[in-house]
Amino acid sequence: MARTYAQEALRISDLIAEKLADPVRVHAQVWAPEELLPESQKWYPLSLGSGLTGISLLFSSRIGRDPGSAAFTHRYLAESLAALRGTDRIKGLYNDVSSLAFATWAAHRATGGYVQAVGKLDTHVRHVSETMVSMADGGPCRSFQDFDVLSGLTGMGRYLLMRKDTMGEELEGVLSALVRMASDVEYGGSRVPGYWSLVPPTADPDRALPFGADGHLNLGLAHGIAGPLALLSLAWSAGVVVDGQRGAVERLVGLLDDWSLRDERGVFWPGWVSFDEWRAGEVGPWRRKRPSWCYGSPGVSRALQLAGDALGRPDWSDLAIRSVASQLSVPPSDWVVHDASACHGWAGALHLLQFFEEDCPQVSRVLDDIVVRIIESFDADSAFGLRFTVEGSDGTADFPGFLDGATGVGLALESYARGNTTAGEWGAALLTV
């Protein structure tokens, strides 16, 4: 589909790539008040969210139109491999060996190379996924990080789905664990989903909202039940089905439907449900959250759209479309978006809304509006072209990464310019494809 600002969007994406071309220089230019940063925004080389492996996705995605980007991709992967030798943590998709495996697979898909590297990394990925499955006891969860996209089973499952021909057994193990977690368990005298998390909605205790010890049910795409719903639906569409998968999808959609809210504009979702709210059967007063990937309604809507497509349920797809339409009735100037990032800013909204362009006539206009906002915020004199919000503070910083920094913006702008909702491997990292 033709884009009004395609040429300028590509120009800005190219400028961002130029600023990110040297991983050593990029690391030296990362600036942030370290004491203010939540863990997710701190520079960590082996992080899809904030480090080298995530930045490599920008260059591997560009190889088709700029073959010279292969050299920059390789440079980032080499630096990542050097960092890998210093860690042996068991972490999910966004960290350590799993993040490098994902980034290397993306490079393989773009170049045809890295075959031996992918094979060697997958040996370690098998160990990580099997360990994570063995720790899933059916809930309640110690933390949403047990199952979420960034650290848990959902993100690992998405990589395994990409590699289903060689890691089908490990994939089925992850899917089966996520299916089990959709069943109810006893907790505090009530029946709650196995996805119930015993920690507050943020993993950083210094930033946690006031919350009781009884935890919450997280509804978002990054950290909540919309993530497993997206993966189970994507697997179904890819022909990978385990026992109970349909019922688990239906259960997760039912939870999202039950806990959806309505205002004068239409349907939206709270970020989470507390234990008191669960027992009462209703949530307290909620205003619309910003339309972000991590917690906002567009992320939940994309998971519902995937489920509707997978199981042939137009009513689920219609719920997703109605939610997006209600969001689009709010002027973007009132979305309370503070920066251009993919996780919670304009780039994330730009990426998500493209999936609804055929169903919502307003989307094209709003996409153009978002792109203009990103273009106008570009600062050629800053380290990476844009500055980003430090979560939990009034500060801003130079972040180069995929989730919170310039990489995600560059990818979203290129996707917009090319009218491309498939988004390659980087969209898979967000569980949107």
Side-chain angles (χ1 to χ4, degrees), residues 93-94 144 147-155 158 178 195 217-234 252 256 269-272 289-307 342-343 348-349 351-353 355-356 403 426-433:
L93 178 64
Y94 271 70
F144 52 77
F147 67 83
D148 75 354
V149 174
L150 275 64
S151 302
L153 289 167
T154 297
R158 187 63 188 92
L178 294 173
Y195 286 103
L217 179 66
N218 200 299
L219 304 183
L221 181 56
H223 301 300
I225 61 172
L229 174 62
L231 176 62
L232 293 169
S233 302
L234 287 163
L252 292 172
L256 291 172
W269 281 272
W272 50 78
K289 295 182 70 66
R290 58 193 174 192
S292 60
W293 169 72
C294 50
Y295 274 110
S297 290
V300 176
S301 297
R302 177 55 179 161
L304 286 169
Q305 186 183 50
L306 289 169
C343 183
H351 172 59
L352 286 162
L353 291 174
F355 294 103
F356 295 91
L403 282 187
W426 69 269
L430 299 177
L431 267 291
T432 56
V433 296

Side-chain angles (χ1 to χ4, degrees), residues 10 30 79 132 168 220 230 285 340 384:
L10 275 180
V30 172
E79 292 286 334
M132 292 174 68
F384 311 120

